[in-house]
CSV table of all heavy atoms in Angstrom, one decimal:
chain,number,residue,atom,x,y,z
A,93,MET,N,205.3,109.8,56.5
A,93,MET,CA,205.7,109.7,57.8
A,93,MET,C,207.1,110.4,58.1
A,93,MET,O,207.9,110.6,57.2
A,93,MET,CB,205.9,108.2,58.2
A,93,MET,CG,207.0,107.5,57.3
A,93,MET,SD,207.1,105.8,57.8
A,93,MET,CE,208.3,105.2,56.5
A,94,VAL,N,207.3,110.8,59.4
A,94,VAL,CA,208.5,111.3,59.8
A,94,VAL,C,209.5,110.1,60.0
A,94,VAL,O,209.2,109.2,60.7
A,94,VAL,CB,208.4,112.1,61.1
A,94,VAL,CG1,209.8,112.5,61.6
A,94,VAL,CG2,207.5,113.3,60.9
A,95,MET,N,210.7,110.2,59.4
A,95,MET,CA,211.6,109.1,59.4
A,95,MET,C,212.8,109.4,60.3
A,95,MET,O,213.5,108.5,60.8
A,95,MET,CB,212.1,108.7,58.0
A,95,MET,CG,211.0,108.3,57.1
A,95,MET,SD,211.5,107.8,55.4
A,95,MET,CE,212.3,106.2,55.8
A,96,GLN,N,213.1,110.7,60.5
A,96,GLN,CA,214.2,111.1,61.3
A,96,GLN,C,214.0,112.5,61.8
A,96,GLN,O,213.6,113.4,61.1
A,96,GLN,CB,215.5,111.0,60.5
A,96,GLN,CG,216.8,111.2,61.2
A,96,GLN,CD,218.0,110.7,60.4
A,96,GLN,OE1,218.2,109.5,60.2
A,96,GLN,NE2,218.8,111.7,59.9
A,97,HIS,N,214.3,112.7,63.1
A,97,HIS,CA,214.1,114.1,63.7
A,97,HIS,C,215.2,115.1,63.2
A,97,HIS,O,214.8,116.2,62.9
A,97,HIS,CB,214.3,114.0,65.2
A,97,HIS,CG,213.1,113.3,65.9
A,97,HIS,ND1,213.1,112.0,66.2
A,97,HIS,CD2,211.9,113.9,66.2
A,97,HIS,CE1,211.9,111.7,66.8
A,97,HIS,NE2,211.2,112.8,66.8
A,98,GLU,N,216.4,114.7,63.1
A,98,GLU,CA,217.5,115.7,62.8
A,98,GLU,C,218.7,115.0,62.2
A,98,GLU,O,218.8,113.8,62.1
A,98,GLU,CB,217.9,116.4,64.1
A,98,GLU,CG,218.3,115.4,65.2
A,98,GLU,CD,218.6,116.2,66.5
A,98,GLU,OE1,218.3,117.4,66.6
A,98,GLU,OE2,219.1,115.5,67.5
A,99,SER,N,219.6,115.8,61.8
A,99,SER,CA,221.0,115.4,61.3
A,99,SER,C,220.9,114.5,60.1
A,99,SER,O,221.6,113.5,60.0
A,99,SER,CB,221.8,114.7,62.4
A,99,SER,OG,222.0,115.6,63.4
A,100,PRO,N,220.1,114.7,59.0
A,100,PRO,CA,219.1,115.8,58.9
A,100,PRO,C,217.7,115.2,59.2
A,100,PRO,O,217.5,114.0,59.3
A,100,PRO,CB,219.2,116.1,57.4
A,100,PRO,CG,219.5,114.8,56.8
A,100,PRO,CD,220.4,114.0,57.7
A,101,PRO,N,216.7,116.1,59.3
A,101,PRO,CA,215.4,115.6,59.4
A,101,PRO,C,215.0,115.0,58.1
A,101,PRO,O,215.4,115.5,57.0
A,101,PRO,CB,214.6,116.9,59.7
A,101,PRO,CG,215.4,118.0,59.1
A,101,PRO,CD,216.8,117.6,59.4
A,102,LEU,N,214.2,113.9,58.2
A,102,LEU,CA,213.8,113.2,57.0
A,102,LEU,C,212.3,112.9,57.0
A,102,LEU,O,211.8,112.5,58.1
A,102,LEU,CB,214.6,111.9,56.8
A,102,LEU,CG,216.1,112.0,56.6
A,102,LEU,CD1,216.8,110.7,56.6
A,102,LEU,CD2,216.4,112.8,55.3
A,103,ILE,N,211.7,112.9,55.8
A,103,ILE,CA,210.3,112.6,55.7
A,103,ILE,C,210.1,111.6,54.6
A,103,ILE,O,210.7,111.8,53.5
A,103,ILE,CB,209.4,113.9,55.4
A,103,ILE,CG1,209.6,114.9,56.5
A,103,ILE,CG2,208.0,113.5,55.1
A,103,ILE,CD1,209.0,116.3,56.1
A,104,GLY,N,209.3,110.6,54.8
A,104,GLY,CA,209.0,109.6,53.8
A,104,GLY,C,207.6,109.8,53.2
A,104,GLY,O,206.7,110.0,54.0
A,188,GLU,N,216.4,112.8,49.3
A,188,GLU,CA,217.6,112.3,50.0
A,188,GLU,C,218.0,110.9,49.6
A,188,GLU,O,219.1,110.6,49.5
A,188,GLU,CB,217.4,112.4,51.5
A,188,GLU,CG,218.5,111.9,52.4
A,188,GLU,CD,219.7,112.8,52.4
A,188,GLU,OE1,219.7,113.9,51.9
A,188,GLU,OE2,220.7,112.4,53.1
A,200,VAL,N,212.4,109.2,50.2
A,200,VAL,CA,212.9,109.8,51.5
A,200,VAL,C,213.3,111.2,51.1
A,200,VAL,O,214.2,111.5,50.3
A,200,VAL,CB,214.1,109.0,52.0
A,200,VAL,CG1,214.6,109.7,53.3
A,200,VAL,CG2,213.7,107.6,52.3
A,201,LEU,N,212.6,112.2,51.8
A,201,LEU,CA,212.9,113.6,51.5
A,201,LEU,C,213.6,114.3,52.6
A,201,LEU,O,213.3,114.0,53.8
A,201,LEU,CB,211.5,114.3,51.2
A,201,LEU,CG,210.6,113.7,50.2
A,201,LEU,CD1,209.3,114.5,50.1
A,201,LEU,CD2,211.3,113.7,48.8
A,202,LYS,N,214.4,115.3,52.3
A,202,LYS,CA,215.1,116.1,53.3
A,202,LYS,C,214.5,117.6,53.2
A,202,LYS,O,214.7,118.2,52.1
A,202,LYS,CB,216.6,116.1,53.1
A,202,LYS,CG,217.3,117.0,54.1
A,202,LYS,CD,218.8,116.9,53.9
A,202,LYS,CE,219.3,117.6,52.6
A,202,LYS,NZ,220.8,117.6,52.5
A,203,PRO,N,213.9,118.1,54.2
A,203,PRO,CA,213.4,119.5,54.2
A,203,PRO,C,214.6,120.4,54.2
A,203,PRO,O,215.6,120.2,54.9
A,203,PRO,CB,212.7,119.6,55.5
A,203,PRO,CG,212.3,118.2,55.9
A,203,PRO,CD,213.4,117.3,55.4
A,248,PHE,N,213.3,117.9,72.1
A,248,PHE,CA,212.5,118.2,71.0
A,248,PHE,C,211.3,119.0,71.4
A,248,PHE,O,210.4,119.2,70.6
A,248,PHE,CB,212.0,116.8,70.4
A,248,PHE,CG,213.1,116.0,69.9
A,248,PHE,CD1,213.6,114.9,70.6
A,248,PHE,CD2,213.7,116.3,68.6
A,248,PHE,CE1,214.6,114.1,70.1
A,248,PHE,CE2,214.7,115.5,68.1
A,248,PHE,CZ,215.1,114.4,68.9
Side-chain angles (χ1 to χ4, degrees):
M93 61 181 174
V94 173
M95 302 182 72
Q96 187 166 289
H97 287 96
E98 56 185 7
S99 301
L102 297 175
I103 299 171
E188 175 76 4
V200 180
L201 307 177
K202 179 176 72 174
F248 297 100

